[in-house]
Amino acid sequence: MMNKGQRSMPSSSKTTLPPLITILVLGFLSIVAFGDNNYGPTNPLLYCSDDFADQLQARKFNVSGCKKLRTLDAEFAWNYSNLTTTNNSTNTTTVNGTLIEIFFRAKLRNYEGWVAWGVNPGKKPQMVGTKAIIAIKHNKGTTDVHTYDVTKETRKGCRLWPTSASEFGLNVLDMQAWSNSTKQCTTLYAKLILPFPEYNITRLNHVWQVGDNVNGDQPLQHRVTLQNVDSTETINITSPDGQSYGQNRSFLRSVHGVLNIIGWGTLLPIGVIIARYFRVFPFIWDKVWFNIHVGFQLTGFLIGTAGWAIGLSLGRSSEYYTFHTHRTFGILIFTFSTIQMLAFRLKPKITDDYRKYWNMYHHFLGYGLLAIIVINIFKGISMLKGGVGWKWAYIGIIAFLGAIILTFEVVTWLRFMLKLPAISIPPKENKTSNNPTQNKQ
């Protein structure tokens, strides 16, 4: 029985129809998404590319985890099992190590080259100290696999020769490699035992690399780019997606780039534009132009200095690699910018005899600084290799500022050639008096 004012309930066919349609749609989508996948949504192969997953399935490799590595277009898959011993008297189980099988695949730039994967028992993932397994592809199409112990001498340029099993320090049960000439991919397979606690599989330091040149069984120096330098991480192989830790360097590099593009590469040029076109000619923004000019320059200097400091920190954290040209230009930019900032306090008066020399130094140093800034920003973008987005974003900023400069230059020369006075901002009003004898412009 219904109370007064209570609406009647809609029919059951109307209430069940929308939920029924929703269930059918969700069921159809789940069939489309996972119907052809025998593993379900938790399949570790879903974290790798389809091509790599097909290769693993063709090899009938039982995958515990898989992931696309963040550099060198490399992919990594693994399977592991703990090696334990049981004490029957105390009924306790002790983990002695981990039996791990790995598949590592990367692309070669040439028909000859090498791919490497290894683990580092040290405190952090780095090349020096790595126990590496390297697959060398020769021009004839043959592929050899050897173990190598990477030391500080290797970093200094000493030759890297294969290490014997007794000296390698790890029990490697199997090593294989094969190449796909069509896609120029080389895949490395290895089966080895990682002793515990030297190697903790929840925080395993692993390293990968790709090189272009070989000399017999000797892999020659790889390229020194950020892609190569950043080919390390600490990984948790107990998770199917290979959770990684401590990858803050890539984030800091992005922050470093953004701050420098905004500070050095955008705000400083805007400050120069203000001083160039609003001080005397073609526009006169009396007194205000100086405050705006100083504001842009000071803000750009502070933001750029923050980015520069992050860059120095990143340089110190890279123990074995230094990008000398980018670092030198960065130091020059900071030094010249600091001199320009001090110039605001040390500027002589207009009546001083050497004011014209100060103006010449301030202008030429400023224009030279802008040239170094643009060159170094593009240098940093080319090192980052984070995609064309960075490059085209800064090209867009330069094009926008260039269009403004070109417009102001055209206005400047037209007014100069036509002998027109500068435009006052705001426009000066012509005050006239009611008394004709006092009527002045």
Side-chain angles (χ1 to χ4, degrees):
M1 197 156 194
M2 294 182 0
N3 298 329
K4 288 184 180 182
Q6 183 178 358
R7 294 183 180 180
S8 61
M9 297 294 293
S11 62
S12 61
S13 61
K14 292 182 180 180
T15 57
T16 57
L17 187 57
L20 180 61
I21 294 175
T22 302
I23 293 173
L24 292 175
V25 170
L26 292 177
F28 175 75
L29 292 176
S30 58
I31 291 174
V32 171
F34 305 110
D36 295 333
N37 194 329
N38 296 326
Y39 296 91
T42 59
N43 173 25
L45 293 178
L46 295 177
Y47 299 108
C48 287
S49 67
D50 294 338
D51 183 57
F52 190 48
D54 293 341
Q55 183 180 2
L56 296 174
Q57 289 177 319
R59 297 275 173 174
K60 297 182 180 180
F61 183 64
N62 185 20
V63 179
S64 299
C66 193
K67 72 180 300 185
K68 296 178 182 178
L69 299 177
R70 58 196 182 93
T71 61
L72 302 175
D73 294 325
E75 297 188 76
F76 179 57
W78 64 92
N79 182 29
Y80 77 96
S81 59
N82 289 323
L83 303 177
T84 60
T85 56
T86 303
N87 189 332
N88 295 326
S89 60
T90 60
N91 196 23
T92 57
T93 301
T94 304
V95 177
N96 299 320
T98 303
L99 175 65
I100 181 173
E101 296 179 89
I102 65 98
F103 270 86
F104 170 77
R105 187 181 77 163
K107 290 183 179 180
L108 295 176
R109 291 160 49 89
N110 306 315
Y111 289 103
E112 181 183 67
W114 55 271
V115 300
W117 177 87
V119 290
N120 193 316
K123 295 181 179 180
K124 60 182 180 179
Q126 62 181 14
M127 182 189 74
V128 175
T130 294
K131 306 293 183 179
I133 301 173
I134 302 179
I136 296 178
K137 181 185 176 185
H138 302 282
N139 274 328
K140 297 179 180 180
T142 58
T143 305
D144 300 326
V145 187
H146 302 281
T147 56
Y148 298 81
D149 196 358
V150 184
T151 63
K152 290 183 179 181
E153 287 71 24
T154 307
R155 171 66 187 88
K156 294 177 181 178
C158 294
R159 294 182 178 183
L160 181 62
W161 295 107
T163 304
S164 63
S166 59
E167 297 176 349
F168 187 59
L170 291 177
N171 187 4
V172 181
L173 306 178
D174 190 12
M175 296 184 298
Q176 300 177 34
W178 54 91
S179 300
N180 185 329
S181 57
T182 303
K183 298 182 179 180
Q184 289 189 298
C185 291
T186 297
T187 303
L188 171 66
Y189 166 78
K191 184 177 183 180
L192 63 156
I193 295 176
L194 299 178
F196 183 84
E198 291 88 348
Y199 297 91
N200 182 358
I201 62 173
T202 61
R203 297 187 69 91
L204 182 65
N205 298 326
H206 79 130
V207 180
W208 62 97
Q209 196 55 259
V210 174
D212 299 331
N213 302 304
V214 299
N215 181 17
D217 293 335
Q218 178 190 358
L220 301 182
Q221 175 67 43
H222 59 75
R223 302 172 71 215
V224 184
T225 68
L226 283 181
Q227 288 277 314
N228 298 91
V229 174
D230 280 350
S231 296
T232 65
E233 71 176 357
T234 301
I235 186 176
N236 179 9
I237 66 172
T238 63
S239 64
D241 61 341
Q243 180 186 4
S244 59
Y245 304 94
Q247 301 301 320
N248 59 344
R249 284 190 299 176
S250 296
F251 173 74
L252 288 178
R253 284 196 183 99
S254 298
V255 174
H256 164 72
V258 169
L259 291 178
N260 286 340
I261 287 175
I262 294 175
W264 302 137
T266 305
L267 296 180
L268 288 189
I270 291 176
V272 172
I273 291 173
I274 295 296
R276 171 78 173 90
Y277 299 105
F278 291 86
R279 182 171 60 92
V280 176
F281 195 84
F283 305 99
I284 297 179
W285 204 350
D286 193 21
K287 296 183 180 180
V288 177
W289 75 268
F290 182 77
N291 295 330
I292 297 178
H293 170 67
V294 173
F296 272 104
Q297 299 299 85
L298 182 59
T299 305
F301 174 76
L302 294 176
I303 294 176
T305 300
W308 175 76
I310 293 175
L312 287 182
S313 175
L314 289 169
R316 284 195 297 268
S317 66
S318 181
E319 185 176 355
Y320 298 102
Y321 295 99
T322 301
F323 299 94
H324 296 284
T325 303
H326 186 64
R327 178 186 178 90
T328 301
F329 280 178
I331 294 174
L332 287 176
I333 290 170
F334 173 75
T335 303
F336 291 163
S337 298
T338 303
I339 293 174
Q340 292 290 73
M341 292 299 109
L342 293 176
F344 290 125
R345 300 295 301 175
L346 303 177
K347 181 174 63 174
K349 297 180 180 179
I350 299 178
T351 56
D352 291 338
D353 293 335
Y354 53 90
R355 173 61 181 266
K356 61 180 180 181
Y357 301 109
W358 182 92
N359 288 337
M360 292 173 59
Y361 125 77
H362 187 63
H363 294 165
F364 284 113
L365 183 60
Y367 292 137
L369 177 61
L370 292 184
I372 298 175
I373 286 172
V374 172
I375 293 172
N376 206 35
I377 286 177
F378 279 115
K379 181 71 176 176
I381 291 174
S382 66
M383 288 166 43
L384 189 61
K385 294 187 182 295
V388 296
W390 287 84
K391 175 182 175 181
W392 287 108
Y394 191 57
I395 288 177
I397 292 174
I398 291 179
F400 176 73
L401 296 177
I404 294 176
I405 293 172
L406 179 61
T407 302
F408 284 159
E409 280 295 323
V410 170
V411 173
T412 299
W413 283 101
L414 284 177
R415 299 191 69 84
F416 176 76
M417 297 298 292
L418 298 175
K419 297 182 179 180
L420 297 175
I423 302 173
S424 179
I425 303 175
K428 293 182 179 180
E429 297 180 359
N430 292 329
K431 298 181 180 180
T432 58
S433 174
N434 292 332
N435 186 351
T437 62
Q438 298 180 352
N439 191 12
K440 299 182 181 179
Q441 288 187 348

